[in-house]
Amino acid sequence: TGVVYPHKLKILFAHFSTMKYELEALELPLYASSVFPNSQIDMCYFDSRGRVSPVNKCYICEVKDGNITSPKENLLSSYDIIITRSNTLRKMRSQFPNVLRSSSCKINIQTNNFSPNFNIGEDFNFSHEEFYASGGRLFQDQAQKLINTSGFQKQNIIAMVGTLIWWKGQLKWLQKIDPSLLKGYQIVMLGKISDRNYYDNIVRTVTDKKINFAFMNPVNPKFLADFLSLSKIHVMNHYTDPPEQPVLGPSRTFGESLVCNNITLQGQTYDNRLQGGQSSIVPKAWKNYTVEYNQENETSLNESFVNATSLVGKLGFSLLESTEIKMDSILSKCLALYESKNLT
């Protein structure tokens, strides 16, 4: 985008994975190293589940020139800005208390609107309306490579991406949808089975309603980019988990679906007691590509599907907010928060 910050700062991205090309993993620190050329950019990732090595191993890297990560042994003694996510500050307090105490400005950009992620040592946090992850640059490039292929055509696929668990709402959507509307379409679910009984109920439902259905276990990002590029509609019927998470922010698969030129169906529970009066946030930049519906109302759910099918092939996605513009907005706000703290 041409944005460059001349500041000489020490910035740590805490708990950003070095193994995924996603905005909230490698992409934001890499981009920061290109727009803050005079700054020291570090990132660390806590392997708290022991995926690669013993539990609680922390991987530390220095990030340079927009495309280089170099492993290092230790964090700096302090940072001007720590950009963090989820409940990472608790891990920092446990493993790097002196670094955390000595650092100037701690910003949680991804709280997920989950109450245990607030008031854990941050100076500022982004609201669930401010932070949302667009499809990452690598993911988007993979998708557009296929979409721009000569003779490319989308298929009659309805995608449902995410762990198979009650709060994702896949089963309730299938129970309410009129199967006659799905004639000529195939429902494809991609995700991990968290609850086998829940999955069995899904299979029984699609069998009883004679819905063309397929399921695939978690897949790599390249496959997902191709799959979503071939799909036409992406269904998200998530439910909230009050009181700790009364309103949901946009998921990463929402952004990934949009950069693959999908119409997204977004289920909502409408309740005046909720912030904004509904259970899920749809960013203003994504509104034109989204059909919202009352997930508790069967008529609304079915009408939304008809509306979505009528939009397929008619919307231009060229004006969709780019990954770089979104990252610029995140970094510029972090810088402004740091400067406001140090001016007071």
Side-chain angles (χ1 to χ4, degrees):
T1 62
V3 174
V4 176
Y5 300 99
H7 306 66
K8 293 182 179 181
L9 299 171
K10 295 175 291 182
I11 303 173
L12 172 66
F13 288 85
H15 199 49
F16 283 68
S17 174
T18 59
M19 295 178 287
K20 296 179 180 179
Y21 275 92
E22 297 168 354
L23 186 149
E24 67 273 41
L26 263 175
E27 291 197 326
L28 188 58
L30 285 173
Y31 187 74
S33 73
S34 68
V35 299
F36 284 91
N38 301 319
S39 294
Q40 168 81 40
I41 309 293
D42 287 347
M43 63 185 293
C44 69
Y45 178 70
F46 296 91
D47 192 18
S48 57
R49 299 179 186 176
R51 288 182 175 130
V52 179
S53 63
V55 173
N56 292 327
K57 168 72 175 177
C58 183
Y59 294 90
I60 304 170
C61 291
E62 182 178 357
V63 190
K64 300 177 181 178
D65 304 326
N67 59 6
I68 298 172
T69 58
S70 302
K72 56 187 293 186
E73 288 296 319
N74 299 299
L75 296 174
L76 300 178
S77 60
S78 67
Y79 290 89
D80 297 300
I81 305 174
I82 295 179
I83 297 174
T84 184
R85 45 190 292 269
S86 189
N87 64 352
T88 302
L89 288 177
R90 287 196 175 95
K91 298 185 180 74
M92 291 285 295
R93 188 183 301 123
S94 172
Q95 294 190 41
F96 303 104
N98 292 334
V99 174
L100 190 62
R101 189 164 42 247
S102 302
S103 296
S104 175
C105 185
K106 283 82 73 176
I107 306 170
N108 190 346
I109 65 170
Q110 188 181 20
T111 65
N112 298 317
N113 200 37
F114 186 53
S115 60
N117 295 342
F118 290 89
N119 302 315
I120 55 175
E122 76 276 17
D123 296 296
F124 305 100
N125 55 64
F126 281 35
S127 77
H128 56 292
E129 298 181 55
E130 293 173 300
F131 179 86
Y132 52 91
S134 57
R137 172 49 55 197
L138 198 68
F139 190 95
Q140 184 171 357
D141 287 348
Q142 172 76 17
Q144 293 303 312
K145 181 179 178 181
L146 177 59
I147 290 170
N148 293 330
T149 301
S150 177
F152 171 81
Q153 285 188 324
K154 282 182 169 285
Q155 305 301 305
N156 285 348
I157 296 172
I158 301 163
M160 302 182 84
V161 180
T163 302
L164 273 67
I165 191 169
W166 73 267
W167 66 268
K168 295 285 189 177
Q170 301 101 328
L171 178 59
K172 287 192 175 183
W173 191 87
L174 290 167
Q175 288 171 336
K176 288 184 173 70
I177 192 69
D178 180 348
S180 68
L181 299 178
L182 302 178
K183 186 176 181 180
Y185 283 91
Q186 182 178 41
I187 304 274
V188 180
M189 289 186 187
L190 281 76
K192 176 183 176 182
I193 298 175
S194 178
D195 182 338
R196 188 73 200 189
N197 289 331
Y198 183 76
Y199 173 74
D200 290 342
N201 283 333
I202 287 173
V203 172
R204 278 193 291 270
T205 299
V206 296
T207 301
D208 291 345
K209 300 180 79 168
K210 296 181 172 58
I211 293 171
N212 188 1
F213 171 80
F215 166 76
M216 283 182 278
N217 280 310
V219 294
N220 68 55
K222 286 187 177 181
F223 179 90
L224 181 60
D226 287 346
F227 169 76
L228 286 174
S229 297
L230 289 165
S231 305
K232 290 183 176 178
I233 296 170
H234 178 225
V235 175
M236 298 177 62
N237 195 46
H238 300 173
Y239 286 80
T240 61
D241 190 16
E244 291 183 324
Q245 193 176 36
V247 178
L248 295 171
S251 71
R252 179 171 28 81
T253 54
F254 192 167
E256 289 173 341
S257 176
L258 292 180
V259 300
C260 293
N261 297 4
N262 275 288
I263 307 298
T264 292
L265 277 172
Q266 175 67 64
Q268 299 283 9
T269 295
Y270 295 102
D271 187 333
N272 290 332
R273 293 170 295 180
L274 296 175
Q275 181 181 348
Q278 58 190 48
S279 58
S280 293
I281 297 299
V282 177
K284 183 178 179 181
W286 295 357
K287 282 277 189 182
N288 290 341
Y289 312 99
T290 307
V291 178
E292 299 173 72
Y293 63 92
N294 183 346
Q295 60 192 168
E296 301 300 332
N297 184 289
E298 189 170 311
T299 299
S300 176
L301 184 147
N302 282 284
E303 288 178 348
S304 72
F305 181 77
V306 174
N307 291 339
T309 58
S310 71
L311 294 174
V312 171
K314 296 179 181 178
L315 292 182
F317 287 80
S318 62
L319 297 179
L320 189 66
E321 181 183 47
S322 73
T323 300
E324 290 76 18
I325 288 175
K326 184 59 190 172
M327 290 192 290
D328 278 340
S329 72
I330 293 169
L331 294 174
S332 65
K333 176 163 184 178
C334 287
L335 181 60
L337 291 173
Y338 163 75
E339 291 177 336
S340 71
K341 183 175 188 291
N342 284 273
L343 287 173
T344 57

